[in-house]
Amino acid sequence: MRDDVAPEVDLESQLLQVGTSADVSGTGLEAFAPSFVDTLVEAYHRQGFAHSFVRLFKDQAERKPGCAAAELVAGEWAERTSSHALDKRRRV
């Protein structure tokens, strides 16, 4: 939940940030080939992930108003996550 991490500073953290951002809120999803994304969604269905994740983040934000989750929930993060492009992909 850090800001952008430069690969030369911490490659593993940068890869985790890119993957997690694309998975959770769709940020940076365009960097991945559509065929890869389609294959990924077919293999690992999201099964209500966005709804559950947003609910958990909102719960944490209520319990800890000063935390990073509260900051995200105060913005447009919940709406972006709830309308994630991966949840709209056709499943086979």
Side-chain angles (χ1 to χ4, degrees):
M1 300 204 21
R2 298 180 351 189
D3 291 333
D4 288 340
V5 179
E8 59 274 2
V9 173
D10 187 347
L11 182 58
E12 289 178 349
S13 291
Q14 200 264 345
L15 291 172
L16 180 62
Q17 176 203 9
V18 168
T20 302
S21 294
D23 186 34
V24 173
S25 65
T27 303
L29 189 60
E30 67 280 353
F32 298 92
S35 60
F36 169 77
V37 175
D38 289 339
T39 301
L40 182 67
V41 172
E42 287 175 18
Y44 301 99
H45 300 270
R46 297 191 43 92
Q47 300 175 331
F49 171 79
H51 174 75
S52 296
F53 202 82
V54 168
R55 182 179 48 77
L56 291 169
F57 251 55
K58 285 182 175 180
D59 177 64
Q60 181 171 347
E62 281 184 31
R63 290 182 290 108
K64 300 177 180 180
C67 73
E71 186 176 318
L72 285 173
V73 169
E76 297 178 2
W77 173 86
E79 293 78 19
R80 194 170 61 246
T81 299
S82 295
S83 62
H84 196 305
L86 290 181
D87 293 320
K88 296 175 183 169
R89 294 266 194 198
R90 181 173 126 358
R91 293 183 191 110
V92 175

